[in-house]
Amino acid sequence: MPESAKLNCGDVELDLPVIEGTENEKALDVSQLRRETGLITLDEGYVNTGSTRSAITFLNGEQGILRYRGYAIEDLAQNCDFVEVCYLLIYGDLPNGEQLAEFRSAIHSHTMLHEDMRMFYDGFPRDAHPMAILSSVVSAMSTFYQDALDPANPEHVEICIHRLIAKLPTIAAYSYKKSIGQPFIYPENDLTYCENFLRMMFAVPCEPYEIDPDFVTALNMLLIVHADHEQNCSTSTVRMVGSSNANLFASIAAGVCALWGPLHGGANEAVVNMLTQIMEDDGDVEKYVAMAKDKEHGFRLMGFGHRVYKNFDPRARIIKAACDRLLDKMNIDDPLFHIAQQLEEVALRDEYFVSRKLYPNVDFYSGVIYRAIGIPVPMFTVLFAMGRLPGWIAHWKEMHASKNKRICRPRQVYTGENIREFVELSDR
Ligand code: CMC
């Protein structure tokens, strides 16, 4: 591969340097393009655009590789605790015992919500979507911790990180309790991250609650496989908002909103709704595959396809295997799991899906596990957000530490009216 590419534009000949990453992926550096030629690049949906250099996550969509800080997702999902993975993503290395104990203890000291923050929940309608509650309450954290919001102050950033990781499960569980009219359950710091979340979700003050270790294992794995995915829509949003020097809470709240959409994290909720619809429609899988292929219809198979993965999504493989294990162990015969499997089989041999390289993605089977754990459907994307939080934080931090940091401000090709003469209201 040459070190640069030549661009001829009128009288100007420009050398565009080829930048190479540590895994040999290559990019054309167009940073001098406009200055030298007056041109900008146009790449709607950023399909060919690298927005940054990043040392956090490597993924290869052709080979189905996903690594956090150099570690294979398969190894991390099998061997780690989610809090260890948070540390890895945010600080760059797996923690030793002492570092992990210190990190856990910092998180434990922030798990409760300020009592006034609980009041917000009185104001939300009972059927409010928990993603709306999550983004609102995270955004509101910047009103409670005004003395520690400076993105340039490492101590402020550190305490914001601890507060976010500690409080997200509490905020999430309270939104569920609000929706069913049960009292909020305070966090219990002797428990692990996942145990604590399950207890806050499902315990009630009047009865003992036993935490199922299989649920803990499944939840821990799900949080880990969702923890980062380089420059996806929500992470790019966090970086974009953070690039204006908005505080970390504001940036993460924006990320939650971006994740909510059904083409991104909201797909896990949409998958289960779609599978339920197919089940209620006599399980007619072929009909829905045909609908997905019909462009007039506008229907998509939720949980299928990915911008980057064009072979298989390694996260989907891990989740499907865990799903098999959990349902088997719990002796659950979930009709939605059967429909999901049939859908996958039909789609994987259908020319439409094969030629477009559309495979089940991370959201396709995760909902089946969430259902088995008892997580209600509207909470699915909230769990995705809990998992993605350390990735968002790691990218926000990396961006601020970069000497190349500039406000993210894309350009456009204007296609509107040319200058028009102003017409008085009475003459229009
Ligand atoms: N069902 C039917 N057709 C599809 C699907 C689908 N799920 N996904 C893509 N296509 C078709 C699309 O119509 C297009 O066909 P053609 O070339 O004939 O116009 C072709 O495949 C390429 O699709 P695209 O929309 O240009 O691809 P993209 O990279 O812009 O979009 C995607 C990626 C994930 C948004 C898309 O595949 C999709 O909408 N999938 C369903 C939603 C989903 O599961 N989202 C979760 C993504 S993974 C987790 C995450 O990132 O949050």
Side-chain angles (χ1 to χ4, degrees):
M1 175 67 72
E3 284 177 3
S4 67
K6 290 215 184 308
L7 178 81
N8 290 302
C9 178
D11 296 341
V12 185
E13 185 181 275
L14 187 61
D15 255 343
L16 300 173
V18 173
I19 309 287
E20 193 165 342
T22 49
E23 291 286 347
N24 307 323
E25 22 12 313
K26 298 185 179 57
L28 272 187
D29 178 351
V30 294
S31 52
Q32 301 306 314
L33 183 66
R34 187 168 181 278
R35 183 175 304 162
E36 299 295 331
T37 66
L39 298 177
I40 60 167
T41 54
L42 178 64
D43 182 23
E44 293 188 23
Y46 309 131
V47 180
N48 306 281
T49 297
S51 60
T52 187
R53 296 166 212 235
S54 177
I56 301 170
T57 286
F58 172 66
L59 73 87
N60 178 320
E62 276 70 36
Q63 293 171 33
I65 294 175
L66 172 61
R67 296 184 202 136
Y68 301 160
R69 301 282 190 185
Y71 295 101
I73 188 64
E74 291 80 6
D75 287 339
L76 296 171
Q78 198 179 341
N79 299 308
C80 278
D81 171 89
F82 176 63
V83 175
E84 268 179 281
V85 173
C86 291
Y87 188 101
L88 169 70
L89 284 168
I90 296 168
Y91 303 106
D93 289 303
L94 282 170
N96 61 29
E98 200 181 317
Q99 289 164 328
L100 184 59
E102 206 178 300
F103 186 53
R104 275 195 214 287
S105 137
I107 290 172
H108 279 159
S109 52
H110 294 287
T111 49
M112 285 195 299
L113 297 196
H114 190 293
E115 283 295 298
D116 291 346
M117 219 182 255
R118 291 169 48 119
M119 308 289 204
F120 286 126
Y121 291 80
D122 294 338
F124 291 119
R126 200 163 145 182
D127 59 354
H129 196 286
M131 284 298 275
I133 297 183
L134 185 66
S135 68
S136 311
V137 179
V138 169
S139 183
M141 282 172 78
S142 50
T143 67
F144 284 83
Y145 305 109
Q146 297 182 48
D147 55 342
L149 294 177
D150 181 1
N153 180 326
E155 282 170 24
H156 287 198
V157 172
E158 198 63 4
I159 195 163
C160 280
I161 293 174
H162 297 155
R163 283 180 170 141
L164 274 165
I165 296 176
K167 291 185 202 305
L168 222 70
T170 318
I171 298 171
Y174 282 11
S175 68
Y176 173 55
K177 288 299 197 191
K178 157 83 189 183
S179 74
I180 54 170
Q182 284 186 1
F184 297 161
I185 302 291
Y186 282 97
E188 167 83 62
N189 287 343
D190 285 345
L191 301 176
T192 66
Y193 199 78
C194 291
E195 287 171 344
N196 183 37
F197 174 68
L198 289 172
R199 186 177 159 277
M200 288 191 290
M201 282 286 290
F202 300 120
V204 285
C206 47
E207 277 175 29
Y209 175 70
E210 232 175 81
I211 300 166
D212 186 323
D214 291 328
F215 290 0
V216 174
T217 308
L219 183 59
N220 184 62
M221 176 278 295
L222 283 169
L223 294 182
I224 291 174
V225 298
H226 285 92
D228 193 41
H229 214 233
E230 49 118 299
Q231 310 308 321
N232 58 86
C233 175
S234 56
T235 302
S236 299
T237 301
V238 170
R239 290 186 90 123
M240 168 82 89
V241 173
S243 77
S244 73
N245 290 350
N247 69 66
L248 184 57
F249 299 128
S251 309
I252 298 294
V256 172
C257 292
L259 186 75
W260 190 5
L263 296 187
H264 190 13
N268 56 14
E269 181 177 341
V271 167
V272 167
N273 291 336
M274 175 189 78
L275 295 175
T276 308
Q277 194 183 338
I278 300 176
M279 184 182 70
E280 287 168 0
D281 202 357
D282 296 329
D284 192 349
V285 165
E286 304 273 355
K287 173 176 159 190
Y288 286 81
V289 170
M291 265 162 60
K293 288 157 52 178
D294 177 3
K295 298 282 177 204
E296 297 297 302
H297 213 286
F299 169 80
R300 286 191 166 199
L301 277 193
M302 300 314 286
F304 263 79
H306 197 275
R307 170 63 60 82
V308 184
Y309 291 123
K310 301 297 175 196
N311 186 339
F312 66 92
D313 182 337
R315 304 167 301 173
R317 281 200 176 163
I318 297 172
I319 293 175
K320 188 179 178 198
C323 196
D324 264 332
R325 278 196 304 274
L326 186 70
L327 297 191
D328 202 35
K329 193 156 181 201
M330 292 175 68
N331 219 358
I332 294 181
D333 191 23
D334 186 345
L336 293 198
F337 186 53
H338 294 303
I339 291 178
Q341 283 179 309
Q342 283 172 42
L343 203 55
E344 179 179 353
E345 274 165 32
V346 175
L348 290 187
R349 55 184 150 75
D350 189 293
E351 202 277 328
Y352 175 95
F353 290 87
V354 174
S355 62
R356 288 170 181 76
K357 301 186 161 99
L358 301 171
Y359 296 92
N361 58 46
V362 67
D363 294 315
F364 195 61
Y365 285 107
S366 58
V368 181
I369 303 192
Y370 292 140
R371 267 163 64 88
I373 297 178
I375 308 277
V377 177
M379 288 292 288
F380 288 4
T381 315
V382 172
L383 278 146
F384 194 151
M386 272 170 55
R388 186 56 53 90
L389 179 66
W392 289 333
I393 294 172
H395 282 273
W396 187 93
K397 239 181 133 226
E398 181 182 67
M399 179 192 63
H400 278 287
S402 165
K403 59 181 184 346
N404 300 323
K405 176 185 172 286
R406 301 177 78 180
I407 188 165
C408 298
R409 203 305 188 181
R411 288 182 177 265
Q412 64 167 14
V413 175
Y414 175 68
T415 58
E417 297 286 346
N418 293 118
I419 187 152
R420 296 200 268 183
E421 206 166 305
F422 181 73
V423 182
E424 291 296 338
L425 181 59
S426 53
D427 296 332
R428 277 177 239 156

